[in-house]
Amino acid sequence: MRLLSLFLLASTATLPAFFQASPSGQDERPDKPLATGDAKQIDTFLATWLVVEGNNSLALAQLALQKATDPEVKAFAQMMIDDHRPFLQELTPFAGGAASGALRRPDQPNPVQNASLHSDGAFDHVGLIKDLGAQCLSSSRKELDAKQGAEFDRCFMGLAVVGHMRAHDMLTVFQEYASDPLDEVLGEGQETIETHLQKAKDGARKLEGKAVAAHGTTRK
């Protein structure tokens, strides 16, 4: 549980400026962006964030296909790949040019590129999103690479629970900011995430049960 808590804290440590509270401390989130230009920029931020998160999920699922020993874990990883890829394809047009560099082969992690500054010195929110995503993927892979067998299976499913919880929360909040076309895509994605989250929880519980049973058998 300590590992899951650390990932939850790390995933919420940094947010783009448009999610920050107002100086007065009050929540001033708009129901929908009003200006067309602002709406397009916000959609770019939201879609890019989800594209980076989605590609990280695909990378970890690919790793699970290679290293997992439990058939149900492998089946869950394949389901993630099959269901997440179409969602990412729908998000890509909203991310536009910002998606270049974020959409990579799932089996190849994206190194941190320190892209948080434009050449003119202006702050680059899209670069920050990519850098944070690359760091999160690196940390997750490092944790998984250190594990084998049943321990790997439990760690992967634990990360899957945390990841889908985070994705569910992101989609819930992002729908309040997205344009109507993107909002529709996010709503469809939310249904898939809810299904995956429940399966991840069920899978994690089964693995814990197997571990307890095996431990009890060993002690006898």
Side-chain angles (χ1 to χ4, degrees):
M1 292 304 295
R2 181 184 178 191
L3 173 62
L4 302 188
S5 299
L6 289 174
F7 274 96
L8 280 170
L9 289 172
S11 66
T12 56
T14 309
L15 291 174
F18 59 85
F19 285 119
Q20 294 177 1
S22 64
S24 63
Q26 297 179 347
D27 185 359
E28 295 182 357
R29 292 181 302 176
D31 290 335
K32 294 291 178 183
L34 299 179
T36 302
D38 291 342
K40 183 176 181 180
Q41 183 183 47
I42 291 174
D43 278 356
T44 297
F45 289 153
L46 301 179
T48 300
W49 192 292
L50 292 171
V51 164
V52 170
E53 287 275 332
N55 274 284
N56 284 358
S57 295
L58 289 180
L60 297 182
Q62 290 281 8
L63 182 62
L65 287 181
Q66 299 170 16
K67 292 190 60 175
T69 57
D70 190 290
E72 292 188 27
V73 174
K74 285 182 176 290
F76 179 81
Q78 187 62 58
M79 180 186 68
M80 284 180 59
I81 293 171
D82 294 340
D83 292 347
H84 284 217
R85 276 180 174 163
F87 183 46
L88 290 176
Q89 291 173 355
E90 290 190 78
L91 287 171
T92 302
F94 294 97
S100 62
L103 283 171
R104 60 192 181 280
R105 284 176 50 189
D107 59 339
Q108 293 184 344
N110 195 25
V112 175
Q113 299 176 6
N114 298 319
S116 297
L117 292 178
H118 287 292
S119 57
D120 60 1
F123 190 76
D124 178 11
H125 288 108
V126 169
L128 171 63
I129 292 170
K130 292 179 181 179
D131 283 352
L132 178 58
Q135 181 60 51
C136 289
L137 177 58
S138 176
S139 297
S140 297
R141 288 186 67 98
K142 181 178 180 180
E143 196 68 33
L144 287 169
D145 285 339
K147 294 173 171 55
Q148 302 291 333
E151 189 180 15
F152 173 92
D153 294 343
R154 290 194 299 273
C155 184
F156 171 74
M157 292 306 295
L159 291 177
V161 170
V162 173
H164 283 85
M165 287 175 61
R166 181 174 65 244
H168 186 277
D169 290 341
M170 290 173 70
L171 289 172
T172 298
V173 174
F174 284 9
Q175 287 180 78
E176 298 183 23
Y177 291 86
S179 65
D180 288 341
L182 178 56
D183 188 14
E184 184 177 352
V185 172
L186 300 186
E188 295 172 357
Q190 187 76 292
E191 295 179 7
T192 300
I193 292 299
E194 289 174 354
T195 299
H196 286 195
L197 176 57
Q198 188 57 54
K199 288 183 178 295
K201 289 180 178 179
D202 293 342
R205 278 194 293 266
K206 286 183 180 180
L207 292 177
E208 288 298 327
K210 290 179 181 180
V212 170
H215 181 67
T217 301
T218 301
R219 292 185 65 180
K220 291 179 181 180

